[in-house]
């Protein structure tokens, strides 16, 4: 409801309601975690950068409160990551590294826990749980691969060979898992980064191709009748798992806010080289027109 309010009502009016609920449920840590996530996903709607900083600092304070008083390990672990995301938005990169470097270690033994869990389910005869647990992890790992690849081409934007090989491989994964329908947001972000990279390399045609892919993914995402997060004919166990999460299949941001972000995506400085291109102009007009109809 609050995410929807942010899309329809003045920002300060909604923030007032959020802060009222925050005070009322100051000892309900799962709820406070969701409010913090709400802050992080909507701070950019505040009037100016100073106010945005204030909202982020408020979110950071909530994280510190949860970590200081909450006794549920799972919530605390989630909050540590959420806190790092807020710190990054505040430009405090060294604090992010300090808080996450140890727990994000790619060779940590905890990263093997999933495989051990599946084997335990099988030994215990809990085959349905083994099936569901495996599907959920496969789904998450596919999205993680695309997410890491998005970061990878951003890091190597000056090396066309590395970027194009990464794009080639991820495009095959996207096609194999039908990501444009399974999780349009994930693949849209990848294609968007690919378009930015091609702009920096002066490859206008390629940039336009991947912006077209980005637009297609966003349009599909926003016009779907189903919830944004869902399974498909292959990932048949996902829907039940998703509905068991705090927000179910709903995103932490209302679709209107996502629409506005999609339009703003065309204003990235890298796209200055495309500003006079007819195809680019038509693409932006098309997505604005279609979004208004949704």
């Amino acid at each position: 409801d609050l995410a929807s309010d942010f899309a329809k009502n003045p920002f300060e009016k909604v923030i007032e309601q959020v802060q009222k609920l925050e005070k009322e449920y100051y000892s309900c840590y799962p709820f406070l975690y969701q409010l913090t996530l709400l802050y992080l996903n909507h701070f950019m709607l505040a009037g100016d950068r100073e106010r945005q900083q204030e909202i982020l600092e408020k979110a950071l304070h909530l994280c510190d409160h949860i970590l200081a008083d909450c006794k549920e390990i799972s919530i605390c672990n989630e909050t540590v990551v959420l806190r790092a995301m807020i710190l990054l938005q505040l430009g405090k990169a060294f604090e992010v590294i300090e808080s996450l470097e140890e727990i994000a270690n790619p060779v940590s033994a905890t990263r093997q826990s999933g495989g051990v869990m599946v084997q335990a389910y099988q030994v215990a005869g809990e085959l349905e749980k083994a099936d569901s647990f495996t599907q959920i992890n496969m789904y998450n790992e596919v999205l993680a691969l695309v997410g890491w690849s998005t970061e990878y081409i951003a890091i190597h934007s000056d090396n066309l060979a590395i970027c194009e090989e990464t794009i080639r491989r991820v495009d095959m994964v996207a096609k194999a898992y039908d990501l444009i329908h399974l999780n349009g947001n994930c693949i849209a972000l990848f294609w968007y980064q690919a378009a930015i990279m091609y702009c920096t390399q002066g490859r206008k045609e390629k940039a336009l191709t991947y912006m077209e892919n980005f637009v297609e993914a966003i349009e599909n995402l926003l016009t779907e009748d189903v919830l944004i997060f869902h399974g498909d004919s292959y990932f048949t166990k996902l829907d039940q798992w998703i509905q068991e999460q705090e927000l179910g299949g709903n995103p932490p941001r209302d679709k209107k806010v996502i629409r506005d972000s999609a339009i703003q995506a065309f204003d990235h400085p890298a796209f200055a080289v495309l500003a006079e291109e007819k195809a680019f102009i038509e693409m932006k007009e098309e997505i604005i027109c279609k979004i208004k109809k949704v």
Side-chain angles (χ1 to χ4, degrees):
D1 289 342
L2 290 169
S4 177
D5 288 343
F6 271 119
K8 298 181 295 186
N9 302 322
F11 178 81
E12 293 299 336
K13 181 179 179 181
V14 185
I15 281 293
E16 184 179 338
Q17 175 66 10
V18 172
Q19 293 179 342
K20 180 181 177 182
L21 289 168
E22 176 190 319
K23 291 177 181 177
E24 187 174 352
Y25 297 100
Y26 203 58
S27 296
C28 183
Y29 303 111
F31 181 66
L32 292 184
Y33 174 85
Q34 294 298 335
L35 288 188
T36 308
L37 194 60
L38 199 71
Y39 279 132
L40 180 60
N41 278 284
H42 296 87
F43 78 92
M44 69 291 296
L45 300 179
D48 53 42
R49 184 56 188 169
E50 184 177 351
R51 182 59 174 145
Q52 291 175 8
Q53 294 275 114
E54 290 176 1
I55 298 300
L56 288 169
E57 292 288 354
K58 180 65 178 173
L60 195 62
H61 170 75
L62 270 186
C63 286
D64 290 338
H65 168 61
I66 294 170
L67 292 171
D69 298 320
C70 180
K71 305 303 180 186
E72 295 183 47
I73 295 175
S74 60
I75 293 175
C76 289
N77 288 343
E78 295 286 338
T79 302
V80 168
V81 178
L82 185 57
R83 184 178 185 276
M85 294 167 68
I86 296 166
L87 285 170
L88 195 58
Q89 289 293 338
L90 287 167
K92 300 179 180 180
F94 287 105
E95 290 187 41
V96 173
I97 294 169
E98 184 179 352
S99 65
L100 289 185
E101 194 163 33
E102 185 174 344
I103 64 174
N105 187 338
V107 296
S108 170
T110 58
R111 295 183 178 274
Q112 301 176 27
S113 62
V116 175
M117 194 71 172
V118 170
Q119 292 175 40
Y121 279 139
Q122 290 177 292
V123 172
E126 300 273 9
L127 299 184
E128 187 66 25
K129 286 185 177 181
D131 185 11
S132 178
F133 191 84
T134 303
Q135 270 201 30
I136 292 164
N137 278 279
M138 287 167 61
Y139 170 79
N140 285 333
E141 293 296 343
V142 168
L143 299 190
L145 172 64
V146 176
W148 283 119
S149 299
T150 303
E151 300 293 342
Y152 196 58
I153 60 175
I155 294 169
H156 292 284
S157 60
D158 60 342
N159 189 320
L160 184 60
I162 288 178
C163 290
E164 290 206 305
E165 180 61 15
T166 304
I167 291 167
R168 184 185 71 81
R169 294 182 183 218
V170 172
D171 280 349
M172 289 193 294
V173 171
K175 182 178 180 180
Y177 285 92
D178 193 21
L179 289 183
I180 196 169
H181 296 111
L182 180 65
N183 194 304
N185 184 63
C186 176
I187 194 60
L189 291 174
F190 177 79
W191 285 333
Y192 181 68
Q193 189 61 51
I196 291 172
M197 184 278 299
Y198 276 123
C199 281
T200 63
Q201 290 282 343
R203 305 284 293 273
K204 291 184 181 181
E205 289 301 319
K206 284 281 193 177
L208 288 169
T209 296
Y210 279 93
M211 278 305 287
E212 287 175 3
N213 291 348
F214 167 76
V215 168
E216 182 183 358
I218 292 297
E219 287 177 350
N220 184 73
L221 182 72
L222 295 175
T223 55
E224 282 185 333
D225 293 328
V226 295
L227 296 167
I228 284 183
F229 302 122
H230 57 84
D232 62 9
S233 59
Y234 180 73
F235 289 109
T236 57
K237 306 292 184 180
L238 282 183
D239 287 334
Q240 181 180 348
W241 170 68
I242 289 169
Q243 290 306 315
E244 289 170 355
Q245 307 310 302
E246 285 87 348
L247 295 178
N250 295 300
R253 293 194 291 174
D254 186 85
K255 281 190 175 184
K256 181 181 182 301
V257 178
I258 298 174
R259 292 178 197 132
D260 293 342
S261 296
I263 295 171
Q264 292 168 8
F266 281 82
D267 298 329
H268 191 287
F271 297 139
V273 298
L274 301 178
E276 304 301 322
E277 296 287 333
K278 182 181 178 182
F280 186 75
I281 295 170
E282 289 178 348
M283 246 186 282
K284 185 173 182 179
E285 291 175 349
E286 175 189 344
I287 198 168
I288 291 173
C289 180
K290 289 191 175 181
I291 279 172
K292 286 180 177 179
K293 294 178 181 179
V294 177

